[in-house]
Amino acid sequence: MLISLILAWIAVILTIMTVLRYIARISRNKKLNTFFHKIHIPFGTLLIIVGGIHGILAGNPASATLANFEPASVLFTFNWGTVCYVLTLILALTYLLRKKMKRKWMIAHRIATVAMIVLLVLHIYDVGIRLPKRLFGNSQHAPAVTESSRVSSNSEQTNEQTSEQAKTTSSDTSANIVTFSGAQLKDGVYQGTADGYKGTITVAVTVKNGQVTAIDVISKSDTDRYFDEAKSLLDKIIGQQSLQVDAVTGATFSSAGLINAVYSALQNAVVSGTLQVNNIKLSEIH
Ligand code: HEM
Ligand code: HEM
């Protein structure tokens, strides 16, 4: 959820401000030194609080709010963020044990600082950066399946899928009216995109004799574990010649993303009728 991403970046700022304590010390600038000395312990403590809340909220889907959030099912699932957090606790611990550790506490504190920076970089590299996109938006997709509503009119689809699609070949299927999910389709290869759980899913859909014969995933950012489960939907869509298929339990976001991507691609293939899609309830964690 958005709050988790905002807290994540606040935690990054707090980390930078606490690390600057070292730069301030070696700069021998008295003002800087006093400032970073004063804020060090309060900011370090805040980092423990903010990083902790971020970690608890981080597993929630994008659409979750504070009213309907679910704490991580396994609190602090293992990832680099968790290791970062443990190091923050170790940093505080070295301070609390300073009397016992004597001079060694500062060495331990410095080593933990370097490890924290390395792991923070790994953590951000691992999960990617989504906050700017979330705040400043990418409103190009008009998804067919959303939490509570569905777009069914052709006009609401943006003309995002411009370049590679509509390489239409033979289009006349009027003799024997073959439909796909309630719509008559023109032959061709069509590209479509939609949001999955983590980012954009792009698919290429092949229509032959009015039927969908192949769906290729061109790109996706969702975690393999969920995405691979959701991919079984593609065989169903082709087998049943319908987009009215149910989401794969436990991978509802990737499922909805795939259905939306195919829907968005086929918007350009519709000759008559309207593509019918089931409403998927995105209430699960993933
Ligand atoms: C609650 C947590 C923390 C406590 C209680 C704490 C405490 C301290 C104390 C007492 C000092 C001695 C210098 C001074 O008084 O300003 C210090 C220095 C330092 N701390 Fe922390 N700290 C905490 C968290 C952190 C974090 C999160 C980082 C970095 C990610 C960090 C990095 C440093 C560095 C780089 C120094 C300077 C080392 C040097 O002068 O060589 N500390 N810390
Ligand atoms: C002090 C520690 C931490 C810092 C500074 C930190 C920082 C960040 C940053 C900068 C992001 C990227 C936000 C974006 O996409 O724009 C992020 C994402 C994420 N972090 Fe952390 N993190 C910390 C601890 C944790 C912990 C303890 C967890 C434990 C589960 C965690 C789990 C995640 C997850 C799953 C994401 C993916 C985005 C999301 O769904 O919220 N992080 N973190």
Side-chain angles (χ1 to χ4, degrees):
M1 65 164 77
L2 185 63
I3 296 167
S4 153
L5 300 186
I6 293 172
L7 290 177
W9 288 104
I10 295 177
V12 171
I13 293 167
L14 290 171
T15 309
I16 294 169
M17 295 299 274
T18 42
V19 173
L20 284 177
R21 170 79 196 88
Y22 181 72
I23 314 286
R25 188 176 64 81
I26 57 173
S27 77
R28 295 184 189 280
N29 180 323
K30 242 192 160 185
K31 263 194 185 158
L32 273 185
N33 215 358
T34 321
F35 174 72
F36 283 104
H37 170 75
K38 258 197 193 150
I39 64 162
H40 191 77
I41 294 182
F43 275 37
T45 314
L46 258 180
L47 177 60
I48 292 175
I49 298 166
V50 172
I53 302 174
H54 156 69
I56 290 168
L57 298 180
N60 279 271
S63 56
T65 62
L66 276 187
N68 68 353
F69 91 94
E70 300 197 21
S73 48
V74 183
L75 265 199
F76 290 90
T77 45
F78 180 84
N79 70 30
W80 295 123
T82 319
V83 189
C84 259
Y85 192 70
V86 171
L87 278 165
T88 315
L89 295 178
I90 291 176
L91 279 157
L93 201 69
T94 53
Y95 171 72
L96 294 176
L97 297 177
R98 68 192 180 286
K99 290 216 168 96
K100 266 197 185 155
M101 294 174 78
K102 300 216 171 93
R103 302 208 74 198
K104 269 195 244 154
W105 94 264
M106 228 325 121
I107 296 167
H109 203 76
R110 280 180 204 155
I111 294 172
T113 302
V114 175
M116 164 86 183
I117 295 167
V118 172
L119 284 157
L120 185 53
V121 172
L122 261 177
H123 177 49
I124 298 176
Y125 178 76
D126 186 37
V127 294
I129 293 176
R130 296 192 288 157
L131 186 63
K133 192 177 147 200
R134 194 61 67 69
L135 284 180
F136 307 111
N138 71 326
S139 51
Q140 72 269 49
H141 316 305
V145 180
T146 60
E147 192 156 359
S148 55
S149 66
R150 192 183 329 131
V151 178
S152 55
S153 87
N154 295 0
S155 59
E156 283 195 58
Q157 279 292 321
T158 53
N159 35 16
E160 227 243 322
Q161 319 85 340
T162 46
S163 56
E164 283 167 57
Q165 65 218 199
K167 293 171 195 155
T168 317
T169 51
S170 76
S171 64
D172 194 7
T173 50
S174 52
N176 49 336
I177 299 168
V178 182
T179 58
F180 170 88
S181 217
Q184 216 184 316
L185 304 179
K186 252 191 303 186
D187 285 2
V189 180
Y190 304 89
Q191 198 164 310
T193 56
D195 280 341
Y197 184 68
K198 274 193 173 175
T200 309
I201 297 174
T202 306
V203 295
V205 184
T206 309
V207 180
K208 246 187 215 160
N209 303 323
Q211 300 273 278
V212 170
T213 55
I215 302 168
D216 296 309
V217 177
I218 295 174
S219 68
K220 57 100 187 161
S221 5
D222 287 5
T223 315
D224 287 341
R225 182 156 51 103
Y226 297 110
F227 194 76
D228 289 347
E229 279 181 41
K231 257 168 81 178
S232 61
L233 273 184
L234 302 182
D235 291 335
K236 264 200 201 162
I237 293 174
I238 297 171
Q240 298 174 12
Q241 288 298 308
S242 171
L243 278 178
Q244 290 183 288
V245 290
D246 291 330
V248 176
T249 316
T252 50
F253 281 84
S254 301
S255 300
L258 274 172
I259 297 172
N260 280 335
V262 176
Y263 175 92
S264 129
L266 291 179
Q267 280 300 302
N268 297 283
V270 174
V271 178
S272 67
T274 306
L275 287 167
Q276 302 297 319
V277 191
N278 280 350
N279 211 355
I280 293 177
K281 202 164 179 336
L282 302 174
S283 58
E284 291 162 51
I285 275 286
H286 202 287

